[in-house]
Amino acid sequence: MTIALSKQTVRKAISAHSALGLICCALLYLICATGTAIVLYEEWQRLEQHDAPEMTAIAPASVQRGIENVLAAESDRPTTTHLYVHLPTRDLPRATITTDTQAVHIDRSGAIAMPEENAWAEFLLALHYRLNLPAVIGMSLVGLFGAMLVALTISGIVAHPRIFRDAFRLRARRADAVATLDWHNRLAVWTIPFALAIALTGAMIGLFYISGVGLASSGYGGDSEAALAPVFGAEPEGDPAPAPIAEVTPALAFMEREFPQTIPYYVILHDPGTAGQHVQIIAEHPRRLIFGEYYAFSGKGEFRGTVGLADGTVGQQLAASTYNLHFGNYGGLPVKIAYILFGLAMTVVVATGTFIWLDKRERAARPSELLRAAWWGFIVGVPAGVAATLLARLAMGNGAPFVAIFWAVCLLALALNLLRFKRRGGVLKGYIRVPTA
């Protein structure tokens, strides 16, 4: 099948495709490479702290004891405003409690076992999610690059009128620019549905801050919580008067009795130790893309209702589905393997796109060999930097300076490749290598 387009349209699409690719190729490569690695986020946490207590399930009474033990351990400091309990799941079979000041693993009985130490996995997630920048800036930037990836995918389709006819034409054995072009085009064609899904959901997640702030400013007097309430629910009125710790046990028992088809995996205790405290349980709905539904309970464990992420408006269900669709948190190991393979393919597509542009300049007698050397250095530097930070985590522990190590290795790889290029053949002058005598 051939898409009938005029030559002028194809030329314009190729120009737009090249311009967009050059603007965002480096960061897109970084985002794609780290996104592929973060598919194994839970597995990385288990590797980091392999001696943490693991279990397939934990009794509601043990969860209650764990909450009480953690709050008692913080009795000499200001009471946390929120307390989070990660219940054991298939991918991460651990019970972890997080407050405003600490995170600890608990054992089957609810006793505090050890601090949670997963700084490397968190670093990797932050590198993909926000490029290790402040949240608003980093996530907005990543969201913009997600939108650019959508534009690149669509312009690439338009620039390739014989997209279906050539889908299985791969001249991989040719050691020239033709092989690079074929790898770029074939992998791009085969991953179109995945690329669009990942790019669209990434743009939605990344631009969440911009859209949320804009909506809050225009319609809710700057109140961001009120702006998000129609989707994720509103916070009830608080009451700071002291009160006994909320009862989580009856809430979990209610979930098991009344909603047996769901799988609770997160408990959130709001304003613990106050008269206004309340409990939320996030439960997974099997065979649904939503990350879960919020089930609300009073401090005494009385059921108050759901937010509607599972059966509310289309917008609510769509918003709740973007996270799992983007990160591959559904379907278990087969889906994760598929996401890794498609993610690697997207990473190769981004990397080869710049090489294609460099090859085109070379054929036009305008070589950019310095830029090619720098690009090779960055291509090698990103995975080398990730590997170096992992080694630093294993050798130095949870407090290793991962951000500094990663960018230092990237810059070192780039510098070494430029030095190697200079030694192999010439003197650098601008972007062109001038041969020596």
Side-chain angles (χ1 to χ4, degrees):
M1 178 180 178
T2 302
I3 301 175
L5 295 170
S6 67
K7 292 183 178 179
Q8 184 177 9
T9 300
V10 172
R11 282 197 298 269
K12 288 182 178 180
I14 292 174
S15 298
H17 185 67
S18 300
L20 284 169
L22 291 174
I23 292 171
C24 58
C25 58
L27 285 180
L28 268 182
Y29 173 77
L30 175 60
I31 293 168
C32 289
T34 54
T36 302
I38 209 61
V39 171
L40 298 175
Y41 177 62
E42 292 83 5
E43 287 77 7
W44 291 130
Q45 291 185 66
R46 297 180 72 181
L47 174 67
E48 272 195 87
Q49 202 170 14
H50 57 83
D51 56 345
E54 296 196 343
M55 62 210 79
T56 56
I58 185 170
S62 296
V63 175
Q64 183 72 36
R65 281 194 296 272
I67 291 173
E68 293 171 356
N69 288 334
V70 170
L71 291 176
E74 298 185 351
S75 60
D76 59 343
R77 54 186 104 161
T79 304
T80 183
T81 57
H82 291 83
L83 181 145
Y84 306 89
V85 184
H86 173 272
L87 303 175
T89 63
R90 177 182 53 191
D91 292 332
L92 191 59
R94 299 174 175 181
T96 308
I97 297 180
T98 304
T99 68
D100 293 347
T101 57
Q102 66 172 331
V104 296
H105 297 299
I106 60 174
D107 61 21
R108 292 176 183 273
S109 68
I112 297 175
M114 62 181 67
E116 181 188 42
E117 296 185 341
N118 62 344
W120 182 79
E122 293 299 325
F123 151 76
L124 191 60
L125 180 64
L127 183 59
H128 172 71
Y129 215 73
R130 53 183 177 84
L131 304 175
N132 293 131
L133 296 172
V136 175
I137 298 173
M139 290 187 67
S140 299
L141 187 59
V142 170
L144 290 172
F145 278 106
M148 286 186 181
L149 185 56
V150 174
L152 280 170
T153 303
I154 295 174
S155 62
I157 295 172
V158 177
H160 197 300
R162 301 180 304 179
I163 186 171
F164 296 106
R165 193 181 77 178
D166 292 346
F168 296 96
R169 188 184 184 191
L170 180 61
R171 294 161 288 185
R173 294 185 177 181
R174 292 186 54 161
D176 56 13
V178 173
T180 303
L181 185 63
D182 273 9
W183 276 114
H184 177 84
N185 289 338
R186 297 301 83 79
L187 290 176
V189 168
W190 298 336
T191 58
I192 284 174
F194 178 80
L196 286 175
I198 294 299
L200 284 170
T201 53
M204 291 174 64
I205 295 170
L207 296 176
F208 170 79
Y209 279 95
I210 294 178
S211 58
V213 170
L215 180 63
S217 299
S218 61
Y220 294 88
D223 188 345
S224 57
E225 290 187 2
L228 297 176
V231 179
F232 297 106
E235 283 271 356
E237 287 293 329
D239 184 347
I245 301 301
E247 299 177 17
V248 171
T249 303
L252 289 170
F254 182 90
M255 291 295 300
E256 186 176 356
R257 183 177 65 253
E258 300 296 330
F259 300 101
Q261 75 281 7
T262 67
I263 305 173
Y265 68 93
Y266 225 72
V267 178
I268 306 173
L269 176 53
H270 298 259
D271 301 316
T274 69
Q277 65 190 333
H278 59 101
V279 177
Q280 283 183 312
I281 296 177
I282 306 178
E284 177 186 350
H285 285 231
R287 309 208 310 193
R288 293 287 304 277
L289 269 179
I290 59 171
F291 67 81
E293 173 65 279
Y294 287 92
Y295 295 81
F297 296 85
S298 70
K300 295 293 185 180
E302 301 162 340
F303 181 58
R304 288 179 171 173
T306 63
V307 170
L309 300 182
D311 55 4
T313 64
V314 173
Q316 283 181 293
Q317 297 184 53
L318 178 62
S321 299
T322 55
Y323 296 93
N324 281 351
L325 184 58
H326 185 77
F327 291 105
N329 297 331
Y330 62 94
L333 185 60
V335 171
K336 287 192 174 188
I337 292 174
Y339 267 64
I340 290 171
L341 293 176
F342 283 126
L344 288 172
M346 285 181 60
T347 305
V348 172
V349 168
V350 173
T352 53
T354 301
F355 286 123
I356 290 170
W357 176 77
L358 292 168
D359 292 338
K360 187 175 180 180
R361 286 183 61 87
E362 199 167 283
R363 290 194 299 273
R366 292 183 292 117
S368 301
E369 298 190 31
L370 175 62
L371 187 57
R372 183 188 294 272
W375 182 242
W376 264 118
F378 189 73
I379 293 296
V380 174
V382 169
V386 170
T389 54
L390 177 57
L391 292 175
R393 169 64 180 89
L394 298 176
M396 302 170 61
N398 205 52
F402 301 114
V403 175
I405 291 172
F406 174 79
W407 289 109
V409 170
C410 284
L411 291 174
L412 180 62
L414 196 150
L416 289 176
N417 208 56
L418 288 174
L419 181 61
R420 177 172 172 266
F421 159 73
K422 182 177 180 180
R423 287 180 174 177
R424 284 184 62 182
V427 178
L428 300 179
K429 185 177 181 180
Y431 287 134
I432 301 176
R433 184 180 67 187
V434 180
T436 56

